[in-house]
Amino acid sequence: EAQVTQNPRYLITVTGKKLTVTCSQNMNHEYMSWYRQDPGLGLRQIYYSMNVEVTDKGDVPEGYKVSRKEKRNFPLILESPSPNQTSLYFCASSSPRAEQFFGPGTRLTVL
Amino acid sequence: DAKTTQPNSMESNEEEPVHLPCNHSTISGTDYIHWYRQLPSQGPEYVIHGLTSNVNNRMASLAIAEDRKSSTLILHRATLRDAAVYYCILTPGNQFYFGTGTSLTVIP
């Protein structure tokens, strides 16, 4: 089944404790992207990647890192999480200029 | 930012057509117009996209104004399953700007 998977689905952590949210797709898509969704602000793009070893900042990249060492994986790294990064995170993938497929979301709480 | 403006909410009766408007007056010539929707407790899902011409698919139709400064998503017969937040998005280059969308309520 074609899908985008994210892990973990739920995470509660404390300020400053490094964490990684994984994202994997099995559709051989070149384009992958991370978004955060907050009440009243809609979805905002954090980072995106056009292909392996190619990443670019989206609208709200501060406090996040990404890497794209393999085509199928695009992990989101929070090196020193803060409470303002409490949010619902979505990973997505697509072929260039085509429809994006979204993962189920990761709900992160930073205390 | 490639900004779009949508009404916060709309209502429609079941089995009637729905026209969801979107203004994007700052659109540039190469920006595609995408529509996604998000059902409660789910990730967004693709609905339709276009550049200049009107587009149809099994889910909806997209009508793009001649000057491209606005577009309308048309759901031909709303069902209860169409209740969702609908996002009109411009894609300058490879970035996606979702905005806050229109929350569609379908009344039985």
Side-chain angles (χ1 to χ4, degrees):
Chain A
E1 180 191 352
Q3 61 182 351
V4 177
T5 57
Q6 296 179 227
N7 282 292
R9 295 288 314 279
Y10 303 90
L11 178 60
I12 301 174
T13 189
V14 296
T15 298
K17 186 175 181 182
K18 181 179 178 179
L19 66 92
T20 299
V21 183
T22 64
C23 173
S24 183
Q25 50 95 4
N26 62 1
M27 294 168 278
N28 201 36
H29 286 158
E30 292 90 350
Y31 183 91
M32 296 187 74
S33 184
W34 275 104
Y35 299 87
R36 62 178 288 174
Q37 185 169 31
D38 303 289
L41 296 176
L43 280 97
R44 293 177 292 169
Q45 193 173 36
I46 303 170
Y47 270 95
Y48 62 95
S49 168
M50 290 303 298
N51 216 324
V52 175
E53 303 292 0
V54 181
T55 62
D56 278 298
K57 295 178 180 179
D59 212 21
V60 288
E62 295 78 18
Y64 304 94
K65 285 177 60 176
V66 292
S67 69
R68 188 92 183 271
K69 293 184 170 52
E70 305 167 283
K71 197 172 188 178
R72 64 182 292 124
N73 296 323
F74 190 45
L76 179 70
I77 303 155
L78 285 71
E79 298 230 326
S80 184
S82 63
N84 64 13
Q85 293 178 297
T86 293
S87 188
L88 178 59
Y89 291 86
F90 288 101
C91 180
S93 75
S94 73
S95 296
R97 295 283 190 187
E99 68 173 284
Q100 288 191 82
F101 293 85
F102 282 78
T106 294
R107 188 166 292 280
L108 172 66
T109 301
V110 183
L111 301 175
Chain B
D1 285 7
K3 191 166 176 60
T4 61
T5 304
Q6 300 177 252
N8 287 333
S9 61
M10 291 184 64
E11 285 186 352
S12 173
N13 293 319
E14 195 177 8
E15 299 192 4
E16 290 188 356
V18 183
H19 291 234
L20 297 163
C22 180
N23 287 320
H24 29 79
S25 58
T26 60
I27 193 170
S28 71
T30 56
D31 291 351
Y32 280 76
I33 302 160
H34 291 243
W35 284 82
Y36 282 74
R37 72 180 187 181
Q38 188 172 22
L39 280 65
S41 301
Q42 294 189 25
E45 67 172 345
Y46 170 83
V47 178
I48 200 166
H49 78 286
L51 183 62
T52 55
S53 305
N54 294 344
V55 185
N56 300 296
N57 66 22
R58 62 174 180 80
M59 285 182 71
S61 296
L62 175 59
I64 301 173
E66 200 167 329
D67 63 5
R68 301 210 324 126
K69 293 186 176 184
S70 65
S71 61
T72 302
L73 178 71
I74 303 163
L75 307 179
H76 296 287
R77 286 182 72 220
T79 70
L80 297 178
R81 289 164 49 183
D82 291 322
V85 177
Y86 287 79
Y87 297 96
C88 168
I89 304 152
L90 299 185
T91 57
N94 300 300
Q95 290 191 258
F96 280 73
Y97 294 96
F98 267 76
T100 54
T102 296
S103 179
L104 176 66
T105 300
V106 179
I107 302 165

